[in-house]
Amino acid sequence: MTENSLILDPTAPGASAPRHARKTLGGLEGKVVGFIDNAKPNFHHLVDDLAELLVNRHGVASIVKHRKRSASIPAPPQVYADVREKCDLVITGSGD
Amino acid sequence: MGLAGMTICSTAFETLGRAQAKALGCPDLPLAIIPHPFGLRTREQVRRIASQCAEDIARIAREAEAPVGRSPTNAESPRGRRAQRIEAPGDHDGFNRYCRDRRWSDGLPHVPPTPARVDAMLRHTRRAPEDVVAAIAPAYGAATVEGIAINAVLAGCDPEYLPLLIAAVEALGDATFNLQGIQATTNSVAPWLIVNGPAARRLGVNGGLNCLGQGSWANATLGRAVRLILQNIGGALPGEMDRATQGQPGKYTFCCAENEDGNPWDPLHVERGYPRPSSTVTVVGAAGTLNMNTHAKDADDLLRVLADTLAHPTSNDYHFGGEPWIILSPEHAEVLKLAGLTKADVKRRLWEASRMAASRFAARDYARARHTRGPELGVMTADTQIPAAPTADGIGIIVAGGPGTHSVYVPTFGQTRAVTREVEVEAEPAR
């Protein structure tokens, strides 16, 4: 059995405590839903189909659509401002 | 009231989605999962997936508590916390087993970051150990000066490398580098460090023979330290938040100096606005390296074959309007210089000659390029000649390597720009 020695932790301290308020939407009826399309293949089709379904089947009041220039860059600030002003729920995409 | 959020995730990205949400402080972010690879589905299949996805979204909206507000980082404060002291096995094998178990490793053995070793390194900077240098995506962990030093020890760096690493981390954290995209992508991209100025010579960073190969302690351990910082502080663990399909050998280490003596033009740091006696580090989001061997002695002939090599339809630079780099060998640089060309001339000639017809893209990539490059290039047709970078200045050039007829093509992630930072002039180590 060898002795222990003291080392310093190479990971970032205190990374993952929840810091966001949360809310229950209580359903989609009458809500405004925003999409930020990640510009990956087919995602715009998915957004179009979901927009139609959410309005027709689930009573969503209206849809706000934005499309990023590409998946790997953030949406510009005006997109965030727009969805923050208009929407109750914003849906983003991740993956291929 | 605030804005509630939800993410639609393809199955292969669920791990990333959950890990990143947790790292950003909203572990309960609702995910609606769709099958991967989604992009290959037919229009009819997308309709069926959408039908199920709409039900999932409605269910989540009824049941789940969605996070509201905007994402903070873990490095909001300029003062971070000091690192924890931990008891670890004192013997070599036991210590390395300990690192492997915690996934602190790149797969190679480590040097234990004892307080004495970390302190010795910290004496080479004037900055306080708890200073936050950058928030490292995708976990947005706070890279403190001390955290950088700990990972540098782990990687085997000499203590005097610390100021250079601090500058590198500052550069990685600049928004134009797009570390979030680089860390979490399926692309092979790795940060490539280019060192300029007197620090390169003083620290022994190799810009000559085999500068991208093995054998130089500084090149090997500096690049390795950056990787460990990206993994241990940034949280980009392979297979989890690091989603690289294959990755590349440069993810172990990717660091060289410019061969300033072999460069007939201004070195990179002078080109980028820094005084010649200063030292800098430049980070590039490099997708790999490709050897370009040519015995061309005529500048036009040389530029033609280099430009031909740049143009390929599977390149992110062409997809997104990127910033491809060329490492010219001193011999190739000399051929161009003797023809009376400046570095700017070489960039312009390469940029023009490497335009590629849009018809060479795969159909899906062509459709994507019309969207991504439309704002820059206007209406695109199959005959549109696509440049690799939005402007000629976007072709990066350094001179590095030793004798030989080999230059290197370094394609990039495309959605990234190189960032340069000056290296702090080292103080006499404090006592």
Side-chain angles (χ1 to χ4, degrees):
Chain A
M1 194 69 190
T2 54
E3 284 185 14
N4 282 352
S5 66
L6 209 55
I7 61 157
L8 296 176
D9 185 349
T11 63
S16 61
R19 275 153 301 162
H20 281 262
R22 296 185 300 169
K23 69 183 229 182
T24 307
L25 275 174
L28 293 171
E29 189 76 34
K31 299 290 196 307
V32 179
V33 176
F35 285 97
I36 302 178
D37 177 349
N38 65 359
K40 287 277 189 174
N42 271 342
F43 201 80
H44 62 300
H45 291 316
L46 183 67
V47 169
D48 289 345
D49 293 350
L50 286 173
E52 198 182 315
L53 290 163
L54 294 178
V55 170
N56 293 339
R57 286 194 201 163
H58 298 284
V60 163
S62 63
I63 299 286
V64 175
K65 293 180 192 175
H66 288 284
R67 193 175 194 208
K68 296 204 298 179
R69 195 170 73 84
S70 74
S72 296
I73 55 172
Q78 54 269 36
V79 169
Y80 293 118
D82 189 60
V83 294
R84 202 177 293 126
E85 184 194 325
K86 295 177 182 162
C87 302
D88 300 292
L89 169 68
V90 64
I91 301 177
T92 59
S94 172
D96 286 294
Chain B
M1 289 296 281
L3 176 64
M6 190 185 295
T7 296
I8 299 172
C9 228
S10 67
T11 42
F13 282 75
E14 188 177 348
T15 311
L16 170 65
R18 297 210 185 281
Q20 180 129 44
K22 185 178 172 198
L24 289 173
C26 42
D28 303 322
L29 175 74
L31 301 182
I33 307 298
I34 58 174
H36 185 92
F38 180 69
L40 299 183
R41 309 289 158 152
T42 64
R43 188 68 189 88
E44 190 45 43
Q45 287 171 326
V46 170
R47 283 197 185 91
R48 283 200 292 273
I49 291 168
S51 184
Q52 179 59 51
C53 188
E55 296 305 317
D56 291 343
I57 290 169
R59 178 181 49 76
I60 291 168
R62 277 193 306 275
E63 298 169 359
E65 289 187 338
V68 296
R70 58 191 298 276
S71 304
T73 70
N74 295 319
E76 285 175 330
S77 158
R79 315 279 298 174
R81 275 189 268 162
R82 296 298 298 267
Q84 275 193 306
R85 294 179 173 229
I86 304 170
E87 291 272 342
D91 64 299
H92 177 84
D93 292 348
F95 171 71
N96 278 294
R97 171 60 62 189
Y98 185 86
C99 291
R100 285 170 69 172
D101 289 348
R102 280 155 187 75
R103 299 201 70 188
W104 293 349
S105 177
D106 55 4
L108 296 168
H110 289 305
V111 176
T114 60
R117 287 195 180 104
V118 174
D119 283 349
M121 193 161 281
L122 288 170
R123 283 199 285 274
H124 288 267
T125 178
R126 295 184 184 86
R127 297 187 63 166
E130 63 271 30
D131 270 5
V132 175
V133 177
I136 305 296
Y140 292 92
T144 60
V145 169
E146 184 184 46
I148 294 168
I150 295 166
N151 281 282
V153 171
L154 213 51
C157 288
D158 287 350
E160 55 267 37
Y161 299 171
L162 182 64
L164 198 153
L165 271 177
I166 291 171
V169 171
E170 264 176 18
L172 294 171
D174 187 289
T176 56
F177 187 67
N178 188 16
L179 190 60
Q180 167 69 44
I182 284 171
Q183 288 267 72
T185 181
T186 50
N187 192 281
S188 59
V189 58
W192 164 36
L193 274 55
I194 306 166
V195 182
N196 278 96
R201 191 173 303 236
R202 183 166 47 79
L203 301 177
V205 187
N206 181 16
L209 282 159
N210 210 34
C211 62
L212 292 178
Q214 83 291 4
S216 301
W217 198 271
N219 299 40
T221 60
L222 281 165
R224 186 185 187 206
V226 164
R227 173 53 50 196
L228 294 177
I229 288 163
L230 294 176
Q231 226 179 263
N232 293 334
I233 298 177
L237 289 172
E240 292 185 19
M241 287 204 274
D242 180 342
R243 304 300 303 166
T245 306
Q246 295 93 7
Q248 56 155 315
K251 291 184 84 164
Y252 284 97
T253 183
F254 202 162
C255 172
C256 69
E258 181 160 25
N259 184 344
E260 295 180 17
D261 293 339
N263 184 343
W265 307 295
D266 280 341
L268 182 66
H269 66 308
V270 175
E271 179 193 335
R272 292 174 78 91
Y274 291 88
R276 193 174 289 268
S278 67
S279 295
T280 64
V281 58
T282 300
V283 295
V284 174
T289 58
L290 179 67
N291 182 59
M292 298 189 290
N293 180 21
T294 171
H295 289 256
K297 293 290 178 248
D298 174 80
D300 291 340
D301 210 22
L302 175 58
L303 288 169
R304 181 180 62 79
V305 295
L306 296 183
D308 263 9
T309 311
L310 256 63
H312 66 289
T314 50
S315 151
N316 267 27
D317 290 308
Y318 284 86
H319 290 172
F320 299 108
E323 190 189 59
W325 283 71
I326 304 276
I327 304 173
L328 286 172
S329 68
E331 290 177 19
H332 284 165
E334 189 63 17
V335 168
L336 299 168
K337 173 70 176 177
L338 287 174
L341 298 171
T342 64
K343 201 200 287 187
D345 294 334
V346 173
K347 289 182 175 209
R348 186 179 46 76
R349 293 276 302 272
L350 284 172
W351 185 73
E352 284 169 354
S354 62
R355 287 169 182 264
M356 185 187 79
S359 58
R360 288 186 62 193
F361 282 133
R364 289 288 183 108
D365 300 329
Y366 174 52
R368 186 162 63 154
R370 288 175 72 151
H371 174 67
T372 57
R373 304 202 64 181
E376 166 202 342
L377 299 172
V379 177
M380 196 181 289
T381 69
D383 296 327
T384 302
Q385 294 294 308
I386 312 282
T391 62
D393 196 43
I395 307 282
I397 292 180
I398 64 163
V399 177
T405 56
H406 304 268
S407 288
V408 182
Y409 175 25
V410 185
T412 79
F413 178 53
Q415 303 152 101
T416 176
R417 293 294 180 267
V419 176
T420 302
R421 286 289 182 274
E422 187 166 358
V423 179
E424 176 192 19
V425 177
E426 200 183 320
E428 275 299 301
R431 299 291 159 206

